[in-house]
């Protein structure tokens, strides 16, 4: 009996799960708070003096909140699965633990622990029993903590569906309102007036982006000087135009072995694309084999090229403030079931990022590595 209790005392001590539970629950809670903030911004955007700016911030807030909610739900699902597997694997141990507790609880008298060797043996027996009792208490507390964590995590999973559904409706409404606000916008200053005939001739006569970029200054009339903040001294600290992840780097070959002097970002469907800095729209529309293209000029000699958009906002010659919307990515918003399914997958796998934005930076019409220009990409 005493030997069995001594062995049990060795196996019952396991680390608690409190820290893991706290981290997972906090991540899910922060994600819910982000979505709540986006919903508040959407309500306030109607009365904002600059509805385009307010709705752009709202749309980006919804995108960030939904991404955080997916990641939080992924962590919740992963943690709940780990706990469930652990509890299932320890069913036999739990049964033995309960059996031991019943034996000890039903003894009714310390006489059962008297040792034939006399008082010294009895004292040693009592010490082992005390150690086992403490271990049993700790093991029982650990099991209670894990069972409680499973309950909390399952409640979070159940509530996440409603929160995600509300977030999806919110971001769709924000995009619709944003498109309407952009269409009604009439207060943007202009650097030049585009000549559509010159633009058509330039498109027809060029076969490369480099050739097209070199002729951009010839397609406008009445061009005037504009004093925009320089971006050269901000190189390496300019925000990315879209929430996404690098799929291919500068001059990195794709599956077909084709290389381009830019980088490709994987984004979620309908993601909003914004101007990283104050800039002039030099061109917007379909170009070559790049799909819809937006070419921004933050200052003379520098161009930001974004290709692969589905919707583009504004017109050539418009001067945009930093963070202004320039378009939306393609694809369709997933339904709730697809979002929940994606949340079960690893975020590193790129699940749900089905659209791609090509980003090129040109200085004096020479392509440069975008990673050297945009924030957080040098490493």
């Amino acid at each position: 009996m005493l030997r069995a209790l001594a062995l049990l005392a060795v196996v019952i001590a396991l680390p608690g799960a409190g820290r893991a539970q706290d981290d997972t629950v906090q991540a899910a809670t922060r994600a819910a708070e982000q979505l709540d903030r986006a919903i508040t911004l959407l309500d306030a955007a109607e009365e904002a003096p600059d509805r385009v700016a307010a709705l752009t911030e709202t749309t980006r807030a919804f995108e960030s909140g939904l991404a955080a909610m997916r990641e939080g739900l992924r962590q919740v699902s992963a943690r709940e699965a780990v706990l469930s597997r652990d509890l299932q694997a320890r069913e036999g141990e739990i049964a033995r633990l309960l059996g031991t507790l019943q034996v000890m609880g039903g003894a009714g008298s310390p006489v059962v622990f008297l040792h034939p060797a006399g008082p010294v043996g009895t004292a040693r027996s009592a010490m082992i029993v005390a150690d086992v009792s403490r271990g049993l208490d700790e093991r029982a507390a650990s099991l209670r903590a894990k069972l409680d964590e499973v309950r909390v995590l399952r409640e979070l999973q159940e509530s996440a569906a409603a929160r995600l559904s509300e977030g999806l409706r919110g971001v769709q409404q924000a995009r619709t309102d944003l498109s309407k606000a952009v269409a009604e916008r009439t207060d943007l200053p202009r650097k030049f007036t585009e000549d559509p005939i010159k633009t058509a001739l330039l498109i027809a006569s060029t076969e490369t982006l480099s050739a097209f970029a070199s002729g951009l200054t010839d397609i406008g009339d009445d061009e005037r000087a504009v004093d925009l903040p320089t971006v050269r001294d901000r190189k390496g600290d300019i925000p990315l135009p879209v929430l996404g992840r690098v799929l291919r780097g500068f001059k990195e070959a794709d599956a077909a072995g084709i290389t381009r002097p830019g980088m490709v970002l994987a984004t979620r469907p309908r993601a909003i694309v914004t101007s990283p800095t104050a800039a002039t729209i030099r061109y917007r529309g379909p170009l070559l084999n790049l799909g819809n293209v937006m070419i921004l000029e933050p200052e003379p000699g520098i161009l930001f090229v974004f290709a692969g958009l589905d919707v583009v906002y504004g017109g050539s010659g418009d001067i945009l403030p930093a963070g202004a919307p320039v378009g939306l990515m393609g694809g369709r918003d997933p339904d709730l079931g697809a979002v929940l399914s994606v949340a079960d997958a690893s975020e590193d796998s790129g699940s749900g990022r089905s659209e791609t934005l090509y980003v090129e930076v040109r200085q004096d019409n020479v392509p440069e590595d975008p990673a050297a220009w945009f924030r957080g990409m040098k490493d």
Side-chain angles (χ1 to χ4, degrees):
M1 172 68 175
L2 293 177
R3 185 184 177 201
L5 291 173
L7 290 173
L8 183 60
V10 174
V11 301
I12 58 178
L14 290 174
R19 177 62 183 274
Q21 175 182 355
D22 290 344
D23 291 346
T24 305
V25 172
Q26 287 176 11
T29 302
R30 284 194 298 269
E33 290 171 350
Q34 284 183 263
L35 280 181
D36 287 341
R37 174 179 175 272
I39 293 169
T40 301
L41 288 174
L42 182 59
D43 292 337
E46 275 304 317
E47 307 300 327
D50 187 341
R51 291 188 67 240
V52 172
L55 288 166
T56 301
E57 181 185 5
T58 299
T59 304
R60 183 59 62 85
F62 269 115
E63 290 180 357
S64 298
L66 286 167
M69 197 70 184
R70 290 184 183 98
E71 175 59 14
L73 186 56
R74 186 191 68 79
Q75 292 181 24
V76 166
S77 299
R79 179 63 184 162
E80 193 270 339
V82 168
L83 288 172
S84 296
R85 285 196 300 268
D86 181 61
L87 290 171
Q88 288 176 357
R90 295 182 177 276
E91 283 181 353
E93 180 185 347
I94 294 170
R96 290 192 298 272
L97 174 62
L98 291 174
T100 302
L101 287 171
Q102 288 175 346
V103 170
M104 293 181 64
S109 170
V111 175
V112 74
F113 298 117
L114 289 178
H115 198 277
V120 175
T122 301
R124 292 178 59 192
S125 300
M127 292 173 63
I128 293 175
V129 169
D131 288 341
V132 170
S133 296
R134 283 193 298 271
L136 291 173
D137 288 340
E138 291 174 5
R139 182 68 180 117
S142 174
L143 288 172
R144 281 195 299 270
K146 288 187 176 183
L147 289 170
D148 184 61
E149 185 177 356
V150 169
R151 177 186 58 79
V152 170
L153 295 177
R154 286 179 178 170
E155 288 176 355
L156 281 172
Q157 287 175 307
E158 292 170 1
S159 65
R163 191 63 62 94
L164 281 168
S165 178
E166 187 175 11
L168 287 171
R169 288 195 301 270
V171 73
Q172 290 165 356
Q173 183 63 51
R175 292 191 196 116
T176 299
D177 292 349
L178 175 61
S179 296
K180 182 179 179 182
V182 169
E184 295 172 348
R185 181 174 56 187
T186 59
D187 59 345
L188 283 180
R190 297 183 64 82
K191 183 174 182 177
F192 64 88
T193 302
E194 181 188 24
D195 186 323
I197 295 178
K198 291 180 180 179
T199 300
L201 289 174
L202 178 62
I203 292 174
S205 63
T206 56
E207 297 181 355
T208 66
L209 181 57
S210 179
F212 184 80
S214 66
L216 278 177
T217 56
D218 299 327
I219 65 174
D221 293 330
D222 304 322
E223 185 156 346
R224 61 188 180 87
V226 175
D227 186 20
L228 294 178
T230 182
V231 298
R232 296 174 194 264
D233 58 358
R234 295 176 55 201
K235 186 174 181 178
D237 194 37
I238 296 172
L240 281 172
V242 69
L243 290 178
R245 294 193 173 193
V246 177
L247 185 62
R248 282 191 298 278
F250 183 65
K251 294 184 178 180
E252 183 179 343
D254 62 16
I258 299 173
T259 62
R260 293 185 184 275
M263 69 178 178
V264 178
L265 299 176
T267 79
R268 298 192 186 280
R270 312 304 293 166
I272 188 171
V273 182
T274 58
S275 177
T277 65
T280 301
I281 298 178
R282 270 295 169 183
Y283 176 78
R284 47 88 77 183
L287 181 65
L288 304 173
N289 63 340
L290 299 173
N292 264 337
V293 173
M294 178 68 67
I295 300 179
L296 302 179
E297 182 187 61
E299 63 179 270
I302 296 178
L303 295 176
F304 294 152
V305 181
F306 306 138
L309 297 92
D310 179 54
V311 176
V312 286
Y313 296 138
S316 296
D318 288 349
I319 301 173
L320 303 175
V326 297
L328 297 174
M329 298 302 295
R332 296 179 58 186
D333 283 313
D335 57 29
L336 183 59
V339 172
L340 292 172
S341 174
V342 167
D344 289 334
S346 169
E347 187 70 9
D348 294 333
S349 70
S351 299
R353 300 180 188 273
S354 59
E355 305 303 310
T356 55
L357 180 71
Y358 176 71
V359 178
E360 194 170 303
V361 179
R362 307 182 74 87
Q363 184 165 346
D364 300 324
N365 206 23
V366 177
E368 297 192 354
D369 186 354
W373 283 84
F374 294 103
R375 183 183 303 154
M377 302 192 65
K378 291 182 179 179
D379 297 328

